[in-house]
Amino acid sequence: MGDVFVERMVKKKLDTVDLLIFLGVVLGIIVVGFLGFIIGFLIVPFPMLTVFIAAGGIFGGYKIICTRLLEFEYSLTNGFVTVDKIMNRATRKRMTSFECDSCEDIGVFREEEARLKTRSFDARIFATKDATREGSWYMIVRSGKTGKTLVVFDPDEDLQEAIKKFIPRHLKFEKFGRG
């Protein structure tokens, strides 16, 4: 078997929580600006303070909004998987990494599935394109970074096929048959 490398990016869709956070940030900036005006002009006679407070509020709001603009990158190299979170196309954070041969279970994720809800995990990683996680897959793996981990993600067909090559043989036959 030659080297296998598959990399996929998934952009997270904005949901209601994101929109509420955006609204809260805008309202927060307005309140901070108003308080800065009151402090800068009425309480302390130092108008530049108003500018500093307003600039700080706007910058802080911008940073908060940027943390909600997410993409996830899945990368598989010869059975080693990394899942990264990319915020605002600028900041990358490694969520987890693992070997496919450490996989204990794999399949289509169903939120209501009791056996996944009641199981104990060291980490639960949701790297999906939307909050409903409809059509997403899960893997239960052992990771040096995150321990026993539930990873929920959205692999395309090519990535699924590449993962199947590296998971334990008994699990491959149990979940996908001989095909």
Side-chain angles (χ1 to χ4, degrees):
M1 178 189 321
D3 285 347
V4 176
F5 177 74
V6 181
E7 184 176 69
R8 295 295 180 260
M9 297 279 289
V10 173
K11 185 174 184 175
K12 182 183 176 289
K13 296 176 186 172
L14 295 177
D15 58 10
T16 307
V17 172
D18 296 319
L19 297 176
L20 289 173
I21 288 173
F22 293 164
L23 181 64
V25 165
V26 170
L27 291 174
I29 290 172
I30 292 169
V31 168
V32 166
F34 181 71
L35 290 175
F37 174 78
I38 291 174
I39 293 170
F41 282 108
L42 303 177
I43 298 174
V44 179
F46 186 56
M48 280 305 289
L49 185 61
T50 302
V51 174
F52 290 133
I53 291 173
I58 290 170
F59 181 74
Y62 168 76
K63 285 302 209 181
I64 291 171
I65 288 173
C66 286
T67 63
R68 304 304 297 179
L69 303 174
L70 298 176
E71 292 177 308
F72 299 103
E73 181 182 77
Y74 322 127
S75 177
L76 178 134
T77 306
N78 295 329
F80 184 75
V81 176
T82 60
V83 180
D84 294 340
K85 174 171 57 174
I86 302 167
M87 294 169 276
N88 197 33
R89 295 187 176 193
T91 307
R92 175 184 296 265
K93 181 181 178 210
R94 174 78 29 99
M95 297 177 77
T96 190
S97 56
F98 56 89
E99 292 285 345
C100 285
D101 62 8
S102 75
C103 182
E104 297 176 10
D105 198 4
I106 186 172
V108 176
F109 182 76
R110 289 177 185 78
E111 192 78 50
E112 69 279 354
E113 202 163 322
R115 66 188 181 85
L116 292 178
K117 278 186 176 181
T118 58
R119 273 181 88 171
S120 173
F121 298 104
D122 297 324
R124 293 173 187 262
I125 294 176
F126 297 96
T128 58
K129 61 184 162 223
D130 63 42
T132 64
R133 301 182 185 108
E134 193 171 310
S136 297
W137 280 65
Y138 75 92
M139 289 180 78
I140 299 172
V141 295
R142 295 252 177 221
S143 166
K145 179 180 179 180
T146 54
K148 186 174 184 177
T149 306
L150 171 66
V151 180
V152 181
F153 64 119
D154 294 322
D156 65 2
E157 217 170 278
D158 291 339
L159 184 56
Q160 289 174 23
E161 290 303 315
I163 288 172
K164 286 178 190 178
K165 293 178 184 177
F166 295 101
I167 61 175
R169 192 175 179 147
H170 69 88
L171 190 60
K172 179 181 172 183
F173 290 136
E174 176 187 323
K175 296 293 182 171
F176 305 107
R178 298 217 178 259

